[in-house]
Amino acid sequence: MFVLTSKSQDGQDLSASTRNWVTTTSFAPPLVAVGVNADSSSHARIIETGVFAVNVIGKEQVNRAFNFLKSHDPEGTSIGGESFEPGPETGCPLLVNTPSWWECKVVGQVAHGDHTLFVGEVLEAGLRN
């Protein structure tokens, strides 16, 4: 499970939403793909900024995944009760209590039906202790 995070251009509006499908599409350059509902705030922010982050949920953290099935407004440096820090490359929220994350810039997209498949080049990745 994953939590996809994004931000507005001015960095004031943030979104976080659970994703159960993220896939690697290339090793060189490192690319990942994620499907995002066209009606979601995440979609609008990704279109606006061209960046997003993926936070990996550990197997013992399933409650975090359920938490982000609904929208939350950020409160200071937390969203949905989860602390975050801005990513070093994109500024997208990185959840501090997840085992790993990566930040991406959009390099391609395909819109069909009610979702857009965004392909992102990994700019930075990290592991947490």
Side-chain angles (χ1 to χ4, degrees):
M1 300 290 286
F2 307 91
V3 175
L4 177 79
T5 57
S6 57
K7 64 173 188 71
S8 61
Q9 194 69 41
D10 64 8
Q12 298 302 306
D13 295 319
L14 308 174
S15 64
S17 57
T18 299
R19 296 284 174 257
N20 62 359
W21 183 77
V22 175
T23 189
T24 301
T25 61
S26 171
F27 292 116
L31 302 175
V32 297
V34 61
V36 181
N37 188 310
D39 290 339
S40 70
S41 60
S42 294
H43 188 279
R45 291 183 180 110
I46 293 169
I47 292 290
E48 176 188 356
T49 64
V51 296
F52 61 91
V54 177
N55 299 267
V56 178
I57 299 295
K59 65 181 177 181
E60 71 286 349
Q61 297 179 315
V62 74
N63 287 339
R64 283 191 174 93
F66 287 117
N67 183 32
F68 290 107
L69 288 174
K70 59 183 181 262
S71 296
H72 298 284
D73 291 326
E75 296 178 9
T77 58
S78 72
I79 187 167
E82 296 289 333
S83 296
F84 71 86
E85 61 189 7
E89 290 291 325
T90 67
C92 289
L94 303 177
L95 302 179
V96 299
N97 293 315
T98 58
S100 61
W101 53 267
W102 57 87
E103 294 178 279
C104 300
K105 72 173 179 178
V106 175
V107 295
Q109 63 189 56
V110 177
H112 287 287
D114 58 3
H115 280 64
T116 298
L117 181 69
F118 290 105
V119 177
E121 181 175 355
V122 177
L123 302 173
E124 187 70 47
L127 296 171
R128 302 209 187 260
N129 295 331

